[in-house]
Amino acid sequence: MSDTLFTNARLIDPEGGSDTIGWLHVTDGRIMATGEGAAQQSDTETVDCGGKCLAPGIIDIGVKVCEPGERHKESYKSAGRAAAAGGVTTMVTRPDTTPAIDTPETLEFVTRRAQADTPVNVLPMAALTKGREGREMTEIGFLQDAGAVAFTDCDHVISDTKVFTRALTYARSCGALVMAHPQEPILSKGAAATSGKFSALYGLPSVSPMAERMGLDRDIALLEMTGAKYHADQITTARALPALERAKLNGLDITAGTSVHHLTLNELDVADYRTFFKVKPPLRSEDDRLAVVEAVRTGLIDTISSMHTPQDEESKRLPFEEAAAGAVALETFLPAALRLVHAEYLDLPTLFRAMSLNPAKRLGLDAGRLSVGAPADLVLFDPDVPFVLDRTTLLSKSQNTPFDGQRMQGRVLATFVGGHEVFRRN
Amino acid sequence: MSFAHRHLLGIEQLSQSDITAILDLAETYVDLNRQSSKHADVLAGLTQINMFFENSTRTQASFEIAGKRLGADVMNMAMQASSIKKGETLIDTAMTLNAMHPDLLVVRHPHSGAVDLLAQKVNCAVLNAGDGKHEHPTQALLDALTIRRAKGRLHRLNIAICGDVAHSRVARSNLFLLGKMENRIRLIGPPTLVPGQFAEFGAEIYDDMREGLKDVDVVMMLRLQRERMDGGFIPSEREYYHRYGLDVEKLSLAKPDAIVMHPGPMNRGVEIDGTLADDINRSVIQEQVEMGVAVRMAAMELLARNLTTAA
């Protein structure tokens, strides 16, 4: 029986919405007891948190690990180390690999690789259609048996509504969660930027923010038809929010996420065609960004993800239109998100509701909280320490971060998975 | 006369005095180019490479003549036929050329921002000869010189830019340049080809050409960029000509001494009436071509001066 006592910790509890000094007792990888104030003296192994924040570890829905296919961009080993350093205790991985994770065999391969090389929890998602081509649904039942926690074609929108309807209906019968990318596929074709002042001036092919609302409206209609369990991967525009709110009020089984980049950057950050700022969907206007931050605060948007997408230099050192989309974010996720706390948009329990508690709830996990009985997946961090990000220090194999050279505030000090320390900053 | 830039990537980075410096120097080359002996040797010993990743006859010829008249060793590379087809990236091509120590690199590329990217990776001066739908700075400069010579000034003019603004790098560079020089700019065209966002940069937007042309001093026509369009932006060329093609009747709404410009190549009978384009009393289209050589000579000379001071 292993025992650890965390003392003198600023406990960030998203469930109770509290932020208090206290202690937390872990036995056999689970939280046994917790309380306010000073802990009683005992002879168990003690971790003195020095008044820093102790929160439930981050559960990151939508991490891309590039196995199989592009291990040079990110492997389970490198992603796992980056996740541990970033306070991410559970990576919910994407199936948009080469080939796509669309059979139980591929899923088993991935699970094996993850178990061998990764210090944090890995929960794989599988493709909803074969090859993510939007034509035939995958073996949802077998894939669930093999451990798939959700089904998604990632940024490929299934444009054939008959195919999507059948997949949603079948998924409902399995109780499977479907994650989709709300975007009108034809309107957004070829877009590298959001239409607006910036794209007009810089002559980039662009998409109206309305394409996101159209995509969401369509998906909501299909949910009314099928009753499926649905999560929108990234809601990034103000215009999509009223539709999301109505769907929730109407009792549909719908949740929504957004990405840390859309919460902290806007279209103007692309400046002189900086391809590290090219993400999908493209960065939005400042008005959209603020609306989405507010939706996270109220809980209309449930989750925040890193949308960690490793790309090598060769995929990024191209003209903006040709460059690959995506940014690495496992290690910058918490420092970037803390900008919202320092700017006083969100408090820490609200932030961890979106980064830990809600993702856990949506996936039916008992993690993501500091309550008794929950797994001791924890992150210890100093929310105030300033630093300048140097991308060459990142542990990911790819270092395509938009935050290179930027001032950040807040860093992970240590990460624990099942009570075991998997990372400590020296 | 100072011009503190390493590259000429766009008009956006230039100040009023930078623009005036280029135009003033270009005036001297207009005179030179009209003499029988057209040589000045300010670029003697320097190597100029013209890299065109997109077809061009006029701009490439203009840059080539400009370089040769200034005594540079000029080389043309048609990039469509070369290693790009073999899968080499833009950066690799740039690094390869860089190793040959060129002094001036003139680049045209079909993607916005590609010339900026290339300029970050080479040691020589880079001139943007057009990048995607972004900028075409020497075109805006030659337009400015043409206007200044025809109107006697380059400020407080009413200037209409008509047609396919959305796909035009010429329009964007002109919007920057004419805006910096404090002119009133109107953008005229169907809303599918004139993005409303341009209003935020101080331009007035008209979808009725007759209304937009009222009392303007300069009518700048743009080419319908059919090769850059994906799908239908206009119903047909004949309807486009009817509503947005420049003819004598529509031009009569502008000031009586208004000049007509076109960056070429023209689609006669699509955006402009052929007879009007050839009317030497109204059209300055041929003069624009002439100014192009002078402006490019001036731009290359100014960049070359900075090369020697840097080295």
Side-chain angles (χ1 to χ4, degrees):
Chain A
M1 204 168 92
S2 72
D3 268 321
T4 314
L5 184 63
F6 293 84
T7 59
N8 192 21
R10 192 175 147 193
L11 298 172
I12 309 299
D13 176 9
E15 212 171 18
S18 63
D19 177 350
T20 47
I21 294 287
W23 54 271
L24 190 137
H25 187 179
V26 171
T27 302
D28 285 341
R30 290 196 175 263
I31 299 169
M32 277 302 286
T34 169
E36 283 185 29
Q40 295 209 325
Q41 286 294 336
S42 74
D43 52 2
T44 54
E45 186 195 328
T46 301
V47 176
D48 182 354
C49 299
K52 304 302 182 199
C53 297
L54 188 67
I58 298 166
I59 297 170
D60 191 356
I61 300 180
V63 174
K64 167 96 180 260
V65 180
C66 306
E67 290 188 62
E70 293 177 306
R71 229 170 118 178
H72 63 285
K73 290 187 179 178
E74 192 82 289
S75 64
Y76 275 95
K77 193 169 187 174
S78 60
R81 286 203 318 229
V88 174
T89 50
T90 300
M91 294 192 287
V92 183
T93 55
R94 303 208 307 252
D96 54 343
T97 46
T98 319
I101 300 168
D102 59 358
T103 61
E105 290 76 12
T106 325
L107 193 79
E108 277 157 17
F109 163 79
V110 163
T111 310
R112 229 172 24 245
R113 296 282 306 126
Q115 278 166 355
D117 278 343
T118 313
V120 302
N121 305 310
V122 176
L123 298 175
M125 296 189 283
L128 184 62
T129 67
K130 288 173 187 160
R132 300 195 300 130
E133 286 172 353
R135 285 199 287 269
E136 283 176 84
M137 71 177 94
T138 51
E139 294 170 313
I140 294 173
F142 279 158
L143 283 161
Q144 267 189 313
D145 295 345
V149 295
F151 294 81
T152 180
D153 280 359
C154 301
D155 62 334
H156 286 191
V157 177
I158 301 175
S159 53
D160 186 327
T161 42
K162 269 188 183 161
V163 172
F164 195 34
T165 303
R166 288 184 201 127
L168 286 168
T169 307
Y170 193 87
R172 188 205 58 209
S173 74
C174 304
L177 175 66
V178 172
M179 181 170 94
H181 184 69
Q183 194 72 216
E184 211 295 312
I186 294 169
L187 196 57
S188 58
K189 202 166 84 181
T194 303
S195 53
K197 209 170 152 178
F198 173 77
S199 66
L201 198 60
Y202 280 75
L204 290 171
S206 61
V207 57
S208 163
M210 203 61 89
E212 181 171 293
R213 185 183 114 189
M214 292 169 71
L216 185 65
D217 277 338
R218 182 200 78 162
D219 288 2
I220 288 170
L222 298 181
L223 292 186
E224 278 186 35
M225 255 167 84
T226 59
K229 195 166 151 186
Y230 176 97
H231 181 73
D233 66 347
Q234 299 176 74
I235 294 295
T236 60
T237 61
R239 302 271 198 149
L241 296 171
L244 177 63
E245 190 169 19
R246 272 196 310 276
K248 284 188 166 185
L249 288 174
N250 288 344
L252 298 180
D253 193 353
I254 182 172
T255 50
T258 191
S259 94
V260 70
H261 297 120
H262 291 92
L263 289 173
T264 53
L265 303 168
N266 70 29
E267 55 180 349
L268 301 177
D269 286 306
V270 175
D272 294 322
Y273 303 104
R274 294 193 286 173
T275 57
F276 280 9
F277 289 78
K278 184 176 180 182
V279 292
K280 197 172 178 185
L283 292 174
R284 306 300 195 183
S285 69
E286 181 63 4
D287 289 347
D288 279 330
R289 184 186 78 85
L290 292 173
V292 172
V293 170
E294 176 60 14
V296 170
R297 192 188 66 79
T298 62
L300 176 60
I301 288 180
D302 303 85
T303 66
I304 308 175
S305 296
S306 72
M307 282 294 152
H308 181 80
T309 305
Q311 297 290 1
D312 54 13
E313 302 277 317
E314 283 63 43
S315 320
K316 282 288 188 184
R317 278 188 1 178
L318 291 169
F320 198 83
E321 278 173 60
E322 291 181 334
V328 291
L330 285 167
E331 289 160 84
T332 50
F333 190 7
L334 183 57
L338 284 171
R339 286 182 171 185
L340 302 173
V341 175
H342 295 304
E344 297 179 355
Y345 291 121
L346 307 176
D347 58 20
L348 283 168
T350 309
L351 184 65
F352 278 87
R353 180 182 70 193
M355 297 204 304
S356 304
L357 179 64
N358 285 345
K361 281 185 175 168
R362 193 50 168 155
L363 296 166
L365 311 174
D366 55 1
R369 56 206 97 190
L370 294 184
S371 32
V372 172
D377 295 347
L378 303 165
V379 53
L380 178 66
F381 66 98
D382 179 341
D384 299 316
V385 59
F387 69 102
V388 174
L389 185 81
D390 172 0
R391 74 185 181 103
T392 61
T393 63
L394 295 178
L395 299 172
S396 280
K397 276 194 184 177
S398 299
Q399 292 161 340
N400 52 307
T401 171
F403 296 110
D404 186 38
Q406 290 199 28
R407 289 165 196 278
M408 316 288 277
Q409 202 182 343
R411 266 198 142 159
V412 174
L413 301 173
T415 306
F416 304 86
V417 174
H420 293 288
E421 183 178 295
V422 292
F423 172 78
R424 179 166 288 275
R425 189 172 303 280
N426 295 317
Chain B
M1 193 156 55
S2 73
F3 183 80
H5 296 277
R6 219 181 125 206
H7 307 296
L8 179 62
L9 298 177
I11 300 293
E12 193 186 1
Q13 301 87 348
L14 302 185
S15 66
Q16 265 193 11
S17 66
D18 290 331
I19 293 164
T20 308
I22 298 173
L23 299 186
D24 288 348
L25 182 60
E27 289 280 7
T28 68
Y29 285 121
V30 176
D31 297 337
L32 178 76
N33 288 336
R34 288 181 179 175
Q35 289 166 19
S36 56
S37 171
K38 302 178 181 62
H39 260 278
D41 281 335
V42 297
L43 299 186
L46 300 185
T47 305
Q48 171 193 341
I49 300 181
N50 297 335
M51 280 172 90
F52 280 65
F53 294 91
E54 196 179 70
N55 272 330
S56 162
T57 315
R58 311 157 60 95
T59 307
Q60 189 174 333
S62 183
F63 269 109
E64 186 176 354
I65 289 173
K68 284 184 169 161
R69 287 192 181 157
L70 294 178
D73 297 313
V74 185
M75 187 189 144
N76 288 316
M77 295 184 70
M79 299 308 297
Q80 281 149 321
S82 89
S83 46
I84 287 294
K85 286 262 150 75
K86 298 173 198 157
E88 191 177 65
T89 68
L90 179 62
I91 299 292
D92 289 338
T93 309
M95 299 307 282
T96 306
L97 279 180
N98 194 46
M100 300 178 195
H101 298 293
D103 302 287
L104 294 157
L105 209 51
V106 177
V107 187
R108 170 170 286 189
H109 197 280
H111 289 310
S112 304
V115 181
D116 297 53
L117 178 69
L118 196 141
Q120 292 163 20
K121 308 289 173 189
V122 295
N123 301 321
C124 59
V126 175
L127 285 98
N128 182 359
D131 63 319
K133 297 179 278 182
H134 180 217
E135 283 232 42
H136 190 355
T138 56
Q139 178 71 42
L141 288 162
L142 73 88
D143 289 341
L145 186 59
T146 310
I147 295 170
R148 198 171 81 168
R149 288 169 64 96
K151 292 284 153 197
R153 65 175 199 270
L154 188 57
H155 56 90
R156 279 190 286 144
L157 293 166
N158 284 323
I159 300 172
I161 303 177
C162 313
D164 185 2
V165 175
H167 298 94
S168 175
R169 51 196 172 214
V170 176
R172 283 175 179 79
S173 286
N174 266 311
L175 206 57
F176 282 126
L177 193 152
L178 298 170
K180 279 176 200 272
M181 304 311 278
E182 294 164 18
N183 296 284
R184 281 183 69 177
I185 303 165
R186 301 177 187 180
L187 300 176
I188 304 173
T192 46
L193 293 177
V194 181
Q197 292 92 357
F198 280 110
E200 294 179 46
F201 304 107
E204 296 163 44
I205 296 180
Y206 291 87
D207 51 17
D208 181 336
M209 191 172 192
R210 288 184 171 79
E211 206 183 306
L213 285 180
K214 267 181 205 149
D215 298 322
V216 299
D217 299 290
V218 176
V219 184
M220 205 178 261
M221 300 305 299
L222 296 172
R223 197 166 69 85
L224 204 57
Q225 304 263 331
R226 281 171 292 194
E227 74 280 8
R228 238 168 270 161
M229 294 183 182
D230 55 341
F233 285 76
I234 50 164
S236 72
E237 286 181 358
R238 62 179 189 178
E239 181 164 324
Y240 184 77
Y241 182 66
H242 177 69
R243 290 167 62 97
Y244 298 103
L246 187 67
D247 54 21
V248 176
E249 186 259 313
K250 291 194 194 94
L251 184 61
S252 68
L253 293 158
K255 283 195 183 151
D257 62 346
I259 55 168
V260 174
M261 307 177 73
H262 193 297
M266 282 180 280
N267 299 308
R268 287 170 187 263
V270 178
E271 68 250 352
I272 190 162
D273 172 64
T275 329
L276 180 59
D278 297 333
D279 178 357
I280 53 164
N281 295 316
R282 304 309 296 272
S283 157
V284 292
I285 296 171
Q286 291 310 312
E287 188 169 359
Q288 285 176 275
V289 179
E290 184 190 353
M291 294 306 117
V293 177
V295 151
R296 286 168 184 130
M297 289 167 84
M300 287 198 288
E301 184 187 340
L302 290 171
L303 291 175
R305 283 185 200 167
N306 293 344
L307 280 178
T308 47
T309 53

